[in-house]
Amino acid sequence: MSVLQARGLVKNYGDTAALDGFDLSIEPGRIVGLIGPNGSGKTTALKSILGISYLDAGEIDVLGINPAHDRKALMRRTAYIADVGILPRWMKIGHVLDFIEGVNPSFDRQTALDTLAKTDIKLDKKVHTLSKGMNVQLHLAIVLAINAELLVLDEPTLGLDILYRQQFYDAVLNDYFEEQRSILITTHEVREIEHILTDVVFIHRGRSVLNLSMDQLEVEFAKVTAGPDELEVLRALQPLSERKSLQGTECIFRGADRAMLAQHGEVATPNLAELFVAVVGGQS
Amino acid sequence: MNTMIALFKREWLEHKGGFGWGPVIVSGVLIAITLIALVVGSVGAAHIDLGDMSDDDIAEAESYGIQLSTDGINLSDLVDGLLAKQSWTEAELAQGLDMFRHGVAAPFYLVYFIIAFFVLLGALYDDRKDRTVLFWKSIPVTDTETVLSKLITTAWVAPAATIVMIFATQVFFLIVVTFLIIGSDHLSTWQVWSNSGLIVGFFELIVGYVIQGLWALPIYGWLLFVSSAVTKVPFVWAVLTPAVPMLLERAVFGSMVLAKGVGNHLQFKALPMAAEIEGDTVENAVELSDIFALLATTDMWFGVVVGVAFMSGAVYFRRRNNEI
């Protein structure tokens, strides 16, 4: 059974459509990256998945629950970290744990305490005394202690220095991720998460413009770096995009035969940033 | 149930600075002002200014041995009053001490209400402003539970601190009075304490606040509604919006039903107060029967219906409105 099924999601803010027929599905044990520029509808999509934002149209099912109808049931099985510190600044850390223990039966306090013991975070301090990095560490400790089947991360490492960012993803992979658990993640720093994703979804102007697994991606897309002599031949094969680089001209192809492409230049798999530009650039 | 208890604790933690320390500060200020006045008064240096009270008011107040002024509780007057009269009937003594207790309680009522006003106005607004709403919505609590927890904490949990501090302050003042009347040959400590109405008054306060929560429900509900619905300046919305229909009503029908209704529910009708007698009817609750009598009025239940409607509106907007 899918962890998440969303079809034709529509959300309008006045005249602007934040989501315009957005589709998404997540299977258990997958790490899905939702990639798109600012204003593409990423955050709105995440919020409607979590039942925080209401949709104007579309069908959505998360863990068998309609998020808009039963956010409470959903949040017992889902965890969420947002791009900014959203933990209440006036609360002591110990009180935050008490509170979550009181409202969420799937929260295990000891796990959270064990994770926090590895950090410099003290339970009797208030949240506002924490640095940005510690704030994310705390939120992560809470989330890891919730027995969640879906973890939603919205730009979780924004504003963190590189050390914390690395630790963050290590912890998510080592302490949270397992066979029956799934992660949905958005970030600007595509390069940072590229190697941990199993699936990728490109979102542009409220629609999903690409949705495939990283394995498929390697089969389906190829990047050829060619010298000036080969360029005309490659152009005839209708690349999605071409871009000048130091090594020559990089052309990105979809559905082309790699062996054939290899005759014209060096073939590689495009990274997500390159691919996004190629796919979305062609559409606008 | 666990959820609601956790929510109450969370509300209390956030607002203990207001609801907890508020009455402690009122008590401290009241005691300080009173004791200073007492000490200064006893060496004859202070002139008690009765301000613009009419002679009748002053006479009435003084007949009970207290001065109803903004200078705190005038203990020297109370004591002088107690000592001046040669023979007290139990009823007279009890009535005088009732007024004294109500005089002590009044500033607590006011401060509680002011704190409650701002707490409710910020309850569903501030977290949208600072985006912590995303955290509160990422935990397994329904929007109805959230809104209810804010109402219940403010209306029925937080008054506990106010009640305790009112009682403690009344006891403190009575102890001081006890010392001041030592040596009187016609008034015993026992007479004062047994007629003080302290214990009954304590229960009146509890019942009073339980029922006051219902009486003020349209006000509390309105504040939560505004807090949940608007995206800026909730204070302005809360205070100025009602003025529009009030002025329209007056212009079109020449009546002031709405204004009177709002004014009515803004009063602390269920809280025990000094008697205010107009003709044959007692306007303010003085004892338990007056407090319970409110439950039999149409005003009470009409207000509850309006309050519930505003609360439903608050939940409706809480579901939809997130960050500002």
Side-chain angles (χ1 to χ4, degrees), chain A residues 47 52-54 71-72 75-76 80 82-84 86-88 90-91 95 99-100 102-104 139, chain B residues 2-3 6-7 10 13-14 130-132 134-143 145 319-320 322-323:
Chain A
K47 282 187 191 161
I52 295 175
S53 188
Y54 277 33
R71 184 170 51 76
K72 180 173 178 167
M75 287 308 179
R76 287 188 171 162
Y80 169 59
D83 57 349
V84 285
I86 56 169
L87 297 173
W90 51 268
M91 241 174 161
H95 289 147
F99 174 71
I100 297 172
V103 294
N104 196 344
H139 210 161
Chain B
N2 273 349
T3 300
L7 286 171
R10 170 235 170 287
L13 282 173
E14 182 171 7
D130 69 14
R131 300 189 70 196
T132 51
L134 293 176
F135 173 70
W136 302 119
K137 290 212 171 196
S138 75
I139 51 165
V141 172
T142 65
D143 295 306
E145 285 168 338
R319 288 213 179 110
R320 283 152 186 84
N322 292 301
E323 297 142 89

Side-chain angles (χ1 to χ4, degrees), chain B residues 40-309:
Chain B
V40 174
S42 71
V43 295
H47 172 71
I48 308 296
D49 182 10
L50 293 178
D52 16 272
M53 289 175 86
S54 74
D55 287 348
D56 283 351
D57 288 339
I58 295 169
E60 192 191 333
E62 285 182 342
S63 74
Y64 293 119
I66 66 168
Q67 185 214 104
L68 303 171
S69 76
T70 52
D71 303 339
I73 310 306
N74 198 321
L75 282 189
S76 46
D77 277 12
L78 174 65
V79 172
D80 288 350
L82 285 172
L83 293 178
K85 194 162 168 152
Q86 288 301 318
S87 63
W88 286 90
T89 66
E90 301 278 296
E92 281 172 339
L93 197 54
Q95 196 176 359
L97 288 167
D98 271 352
M99 283 192 74
F100 157 69
R101 277 190 298 104
H102 295 152
V104 172
F108 289 89
Y109 297 162
L110 188 63
V111 168
Y112 162 80
F113 180 77
I114 292 169
I115 295 167
F117 181 97
F118 286 103
V119 164
L120 291 172
L121 203 50
L124 303 168
Y125 176 82
D126 294 344
D127 62 359
R128 292 189 288 136
K129 189 117 202 156
D130 69 14
R131 300 189 70 196
T132 51
V133 64
L134 293 176
F135 173 70
W136 302 119
K137 290 212 171 196
S138 75
I139 51 165
V141 172
T142 65
D143 295 306
T144 309
E145 285 168 338
T146 301
V147 174
L148 275 181
S149 76
K150 289 174 189 291
L151 171 75
I152 294 171
T153 312
T154 301
W156 292 293
V157 178
T162 291
I163 292 170
V164 167
M165 285 316 298
I166 291 174
F167 182 74
T169 312
Q170 289 170 340
V171 169
F172 176 83
F173 280 134
L174 217 55
I175 291 172
V176 176
V177 167
T178 305
F179 277 106
L180 293 175
I181 60 163
I182 285 175
S184 163
D185 46 9
H186 58 270
L187 198 59
S188 71
T189 306
W190 168 249
Q191 265 181 303
V192 170
W193 282 81
S194 62
N195 288 299
S196 68
L198 264 180
I199 304 299
V200 172
F202 182 70
F203 286 105
E204 280 172 2
L205 282 172
I206 295 173
V207 174
Y209 263 110
V210 169
I211 295 175
Q212 176 64 24
L214 287 176
W215 179 252
L217 201 61
I219 308 292
Y220 294 165
W222 167 251
L223 294 171
L224 281 170
F225 175 77
V226 170
S227 182
S228 180
V230 304
T231 52
K232 57 177 82 137
V233 288
F235 180 83
V236 175
W237 279 104
V239 174
L240 292 188
T241 320
V244 176
M246 280 179 199
L247 291 174
L248 274 178
E249 184 197 328
R250 196 164 176 200
V252 177
F253 302 105
S255 63
M256 293 181 67
V257 178
L258 183 60
K260 279 182 185 152
V262 171
N264 196 18
H265 285 273
L266 274 172
Q267 294 173 42
F268 312 144
K269 286 244 162 144
L271 299 179
M273 294 221 211
E276 189 180 281
I277 297 161
E278 286 187 7
D280 291 335
T281 56
V282 176
E283 272 286 294
N284 283 324
V286 181
E287 53 191 50
L288 276 182
S289 57
D290 303 324
I291 298 172
F292 282 121
L294 267 185
L295 288 176
T297 62
T298 326
D299 277 357
M300 167 65 99
W301 297 106
F302 183 72
V304 168
V305 169
V306 171
V308 169

